Amino acid sequence: MPANHRFSRRLLLLFLLSFETARRLASGDSNDEACLTNLRQSLEDPANNLHNWTKPFFTNPCSGFSSHLHGVTCNNGRIYKLSLTNLSLRGSISPFLSNCTNLQSLDLSSNQISGEIPSEIQFLANLAVLNLSSNRLSGQISPQLALCAYLNVIDLHDNRLSGQIPQQLGLLARLSTFDVSNNKLSGQIPPNLGMRNGNLPRFNSSSFVGNKKLFGYPLEEMKSKGLSVMAIVGIGLGSGIASLVISFTGVCIWLKITERKMEEEEGKISHSMPDY
Ligand SMILES: *[C@@H]1O[C@H](CO)[C@@H](O)[C@H](O)[C@H]1NC(C)=O
Ligand SMILES: *[C@@H]1O[C@H](CO)[C@@H](O)[C@H](O)[C@H]1NC(C)=O
Ligand SMILES: *[C@@H]1O[C@H](CO)[C@@H](O)[C@H](O)[C@H]1NC(C)=O
Ligand SMILES: *[C@@H]1O[C@H](CO)[C@@H](O)[C@H](O)[C@H]1NC(C)=O
Ligand SMILES: *[C@@H]1O[C@H](CO)[C@@H](O)[C@H](O)[C@H]1NC(C)=O
């Protein structure tokens, strides 16, 4: 009898557990919901590409392994990839994006998204791919981005980002693609990013070009580059003038010497010549 009793209790527990799991799957994750709702609000979608990003869908963005929402990919009932590229999106990136805590890949490239990259991205602990290239993002690159320790790809090219490249990004051991070309970045490229050592993948100048005030390896030094043009002009002008002066004085000295020699010769001649 007690054995039978225990069995039925276990059955009840199992039933309750599976019911709870099913309920969770059906209702969706509240963090992912908050993430999508807020992102939809911060983005403008004039071409209506996100027409099915509507309220009823947000309540369960991941039904099973896939999502019915455009650009959303799920894994185990959580969003792991957001890819909204080339959709003429405007507006800004909501800081509540950080509520998509399982996100591994964020690609919002080739839109017209403006504003800053929210520093809250630092809370996406699993983020491996960040592609925000070809937008109108401004402000600084947050040093906290380096807290996303799994970052493989940081592609921020063709934006309006300013300020310095945070040296903390050089600490990202998994980073294999880094592109901040064509922005408004300034200052020195952090040496631990420009000159990575060991087996870490290196980044060449194409990762950094198109930032007028950015300098340091692997770019040519801005200052010496600025100087070299001046130097070439200076050396050209200077040497021209110098050679003129030198040859002029040379001629003068030669003239003086020959004059004196002639005078001396004349003198000698006049000395050696007997007076008639
Ligand atoms: C949502 O839109 C995308 C692309 O526009 C489409 O592939 C997808 O099937 C749509 N989903 C639903 C549920 O309408
Ligand atoms: C971007 O979208 C436009 C129109 O929707 C299309 O003509 C163009 O080929 C797309 N570009 C890329 C790189 O996919
Ligand atoms: C969402 O993100 C915000 C800001 O990072 C945070 O304060 C909040 O607790 C998160 N969770 C939910 C469910 O909104
Ligand atoms: C980022 O997105 C752009 C445009 O969609 C693409 O051309 C580029 O290859 C992507 N970057 C990486 C590192 O995959
Ligand atoms: C820079 O490296 C990339 C691959 O990471 C390569 O495709 C490109 O040709 C290189 N550019 C230069 C200027 O060396």
Side-chain angles (χ1 to χ4, degrees):
M1 231 17 179
N4 207 350
H5 186 69
R6 222 177 293 148
F7 177 74
S8 54
R9 268 182 60 176
R10 277 198 196 147
L11 204 67
L12 187 69
L13 199 67
L14 199 71
F15 174 76
L16 283 177
L17 274 177
S18 51
F19 180 78
E20 175 60 19
T21 315
R23 194 196 61 81
R24 255 195 234 165
L25 269 179
S27 67
D29 187 273
S30 63
N31 283 310
D32 283 353
E33 267 176 59
C35 165
L36 293 187
T37 309
N38 285 286
L39 188 62
R40 181 66 193 90
Q41 271 166 17
S42 71
L43 292 174
E44 291 163 28
D45 177 27
N48 201 23
N49 278 306
L50 304 180
H51 59 89
N52 63 17
W53 273 50
T54 47
K55 193 83 187 169
F57 290 117
F58 288 149
T59 46
N60 191 2
C62 295
S63 52
F65 291 97
S66 61
S67 179
H68 41 254
L69 292 172
H70 188 199
V72 179
T73 313
C74 298
N75 186 18
N76 269 329
R78 292 297 309 272
I79 298 172
Y80 92 100
K81 190 173 173 184
L82 271 178
S83 180
L84 302 173
T85 177
N86 195 26
L87 296 176
S88 312
L89 299 174
R90 295 163 187 266
S92 61
I93 305 171
S94 167
F96 287 88
L97 182 75
S98 63
N99 289 141
C100 281
T101 46
N102 275 27
L103 202 63
Q104 284 172 40
S105 174
L106 176 64
D107 187 349
L108 304 177
S109 61
S110 304
N111 287 294
Q112 287 134 49
I113 301 170
S114 54
E116 299 196 1
I117 302 171
S119 67
E120 283 81 358
I121 283 187
Q122 68 181 285
F123 300 121
L124 298 175
N126 299 314
L127 195 67
V129 175
L130 179 65
N131 192 347
L132 304 177
S133 62
S134 303
N135 275 294
R136 293 174 185 170
L137 295 164
S138 57
Q140 307 209 355
I141 302 172
S142 156
Q144 281 102 312
L145 190 57
L147 293 174
C148 303
Y150 292 103
L151 273 171
N152 275 281
V153 173
I154 298 180
D155 192 348
L156 304 175
H157 79 263
D158 282 306
N159 274 292
R160 295 165 186 177
L161 298 166
S162 57
Q164 301 202 345
I165 301 174
Q167 62 164 32
Q168 287 88 337
L169 297 187
L171 302 173
L172 290 167
R174 288 180 169 82
L175 202 59
S176 59
T177 302
F178 183 76
D179 192 348
V180 291
S181 60
N182 301 315
N183 275 288
K184 293 175 177 174
L185 296 164
S186 58
Q188 189 179 6
I189 296 169
N192 61 357
L193 200 60
M195 292 181 274
R196 305 183 99 202
N197 43 33
N199 296 323
L200 298 179
R202 317 228 165 152
F203 311 122
N204 61 29
S205 59
S206 58
S207 294
F208 303 99
V209 292
N211 292 281
K212 271 187 207 157
K213 293 177 186 167
L214 196 64
F215 62 92
Y217 190 84
L219 291 180
E220 289 168 56
E221 294 280 330
M222 178 186 68
K223 277 175 194 160
S224 68
K225 201 175 163 189
L227 271 179
S228 70
V229 176
M230 290 296 287
I232 288 164
V233 173
I235 289 166
L237 269 178
S239 58
I241 290 169
S243 58
L244 261 178
V245 169
I246 288 168
S247 47
F248 183 73
T249 43
V251 168
C252 286
I253 289 167
W254 179 76
L255 277 176
K256 270 267 161 65
I257 288 170
T258 45
E259 206 179 326
R260 202 172 291 163
K261 264 192 187 160
M262 275 168 76
E263 271 172 15
E264 272 172 24
E265 293 292 301
E266 264 169 42
K268 265 185 209 160
I269 289 166
S270 56
H271 269 279
S272 55
M273 283 285 227
D275 261 336
Y276 291 107

